Amino acid sequence: MSNILPNDLINALKGDPSFDYEAFIAVHDKEEKTTSIRLNPFKGATTEGFDVEKAIPWCRGGYYLKERPVFTLDPLFHSGCYYSQEASSMFLDYAIRSLALDKEPIKVLDLCAAPGGKSTLLNSALHKDSLLVANEIIKSRVNILNDNLVRWGNPNVVVSNNDPSAFGRLPGYFDLMVVDAPCSGSGMFHKDHTAIDEWSLSNVKLCSERQQRILGQSLDALKSEGYLFYSTCSYSQEENEDIVDWLIDCFEMEAVDIEVDESWGIMVTKSPKHKAATFRFYPHLLKGEGFFFAVLKKRGDQSSFSMKKVKKEKNTAPQQVADTWIDKEGLYVFQHNDMLHVFPKQYEMDLQALQNVLYLKNAGTQIGKLKGKELIPAHDLALSNRILTNLPAIELDLEQAQQYLRKENLDLSINPDNLQGWILARYKGTNMGWIKAMPNRINNYYPKEIRIANL
């Protein structure tokens, strides 16, 4: 037996005769942290400056790094050029491509989305005209989800903060639901030994019950013939294959098999009752943490949300104000409180429907607020992939960029051309945010709530 892993967990895994529990124990006896990143394809990001070990085979733009850099000190991280994400969970990219879900626009719900790794992946992997609703159940985690999606820079995203039961008010609305369910966390033992102390069979049972509640209260939102991606970072059958069998029994779901390359080291398993294909990621078989993944398709009839019930509200927001700041093709401007946003025109009525039944944290891209006839540009606009490329900008070196990210004062010498007014601060050609140049000073408009501190 392992000196660190719970005996109850090891005994459960030993029930599978094909499972090499000795290798599993050996890899866990060493606390190792695998570092991997995924590039943002919309920002022209590259691996330059990273010590890359190799590409992640199941994810476009995913790479293993030989060592972990200090991401907090990298301006390109704050600009959304890449996301530091665990490699196993990037398997969603391969699943989307395997099911051809990237070939046409679809509506997608990421139900338990914070901190945003899977949401930013979905936003990259899906068709560019898809609609993504990224929801976080826990209120304290919504801000980090929103920040990461703002960095990613696309306007086709809605961020919400709702209990799963709220989505029952949108029957048959989504083509794809992603549920990365809260779990007992045994898949994280390899990189974080402290998580072992919190694990117990009673917690596994509690998590399994919570997972059933989350799924049971939200699955009506998935349309007939729609797909469910269900995942956990747990090794326990009660939270994984047993949940898949329960979904098949109770919700007329059908498991979908995906062919994977054997050399990747992903273990294809079968659920006990229905022999449904599922996928397990073990750190002794591949370079990644513990992860469980399953794809199901809804086969039963499902009533559909009627857009006819949605009344179009009069939009008085000035549409032309965005023209000098952002590429507005396919977008429209709307106002929420005192802030102007842009959002895909094709989903204008969908946004109204979502606002009617959900609490929304953000929608589209904030472009700023009007002060008289002047637009005070928002930080989100600076990070948008649709911002115009001919706006005034100043290129900063690394030290200056880090000063900017700390919201420190910037010297007038960074502005040798004596530009005036609103100016983009850039690092390696990528926008970081806004400064405002005055005759005798430069004001740093990096948001104080996300500034770098103590580094």
Side-chain angles (χ1 to χ4, degrees), residues 51-100:
D51 193 1
V52 173
E53 181 177 345
K54 61 180 180 178
I56 297 169
W58 50 81
C59 181
R60 296 165 296 181
Y63 296 91
Y64 295 106
L65 303 183
K66 293 180 181 178
E67 58 183 31
R68 186 178 184 86
V70 183
F71 294 121
T72 306
L73 292 179
D74 184 3
L76 297 180
F77 171 76
H78 298 277
S79 300
C81 286
Y82 63 92
Y83 189 93
S84 175
Q85 185 176 16
E86 201 284 306
S88 299
S89 63
M90 296 188 203
F91 187 69
L92 272 74
D93 181 76
Y94 180 75
I96 288 168
R97 287 181 283 131
S98 297
L99 298 170

Side-chain angles (χ1 to χ4, degrees), residues 401-421:
Q402 290 173 345
Q403 281 182 289
Y404 175 74
L405 294 170
R406 292 187 178 100
K407 202 173 172 58
E408 294 177 354
N409 293 330
L410 298 170
D411 194 88
L412 284 170
S413 63
I414 71 167
N415 186 17
D417 295 328
N418 198 31
L419 299 174
Q420 296 295 304

Side-chain angles (χ1 to χ4, degrees), residues 9-70:
L9 175 64
I10 296 299
N11 289 332
L13 293 172
K14 286 172 67 175
D16 179 357
S18 66
F19 185 73
D20 187 350
Y21 74 93
E22 291 183 353
F24 177 78
I25 290 172
V27 78
H28 280 82
D29 282 342
K30 297 181 293 182
E31 187 175 48
E32 296 179 329
K33 292 179 172 63
T34 300
T35 300
S36 48
I37 60 168
R38 179 172 40 78
L39 301 180
N40 186 339
F42 306 105
K43 297 203 172 187
T46 70
T47 57
E48 182 183 355
F50 290 107
D51 193 1
V52 173
E53 181 177 345
K54 61 180 180 178
I56 297 169
W58 50 81
C59 181
R60 296 165 296 181
Y63 296 91
Y64 295 106
L65 303 183
K66 293 180 181 178
E67 58 183 31
R68 186 178 184 86
V70 183

Side-chain angles (χ1 to χ4, degrees), residues 100-107 126-130 175:
L101 294 175
D102 57 341
K103 300 303 183 185
E104 59 185 27
I106 61 175
K107 298 172 185 175
L126 296 168
H127 189 282
K128 64 181 180 62
D129 294 326
S130 292
D175 302 281

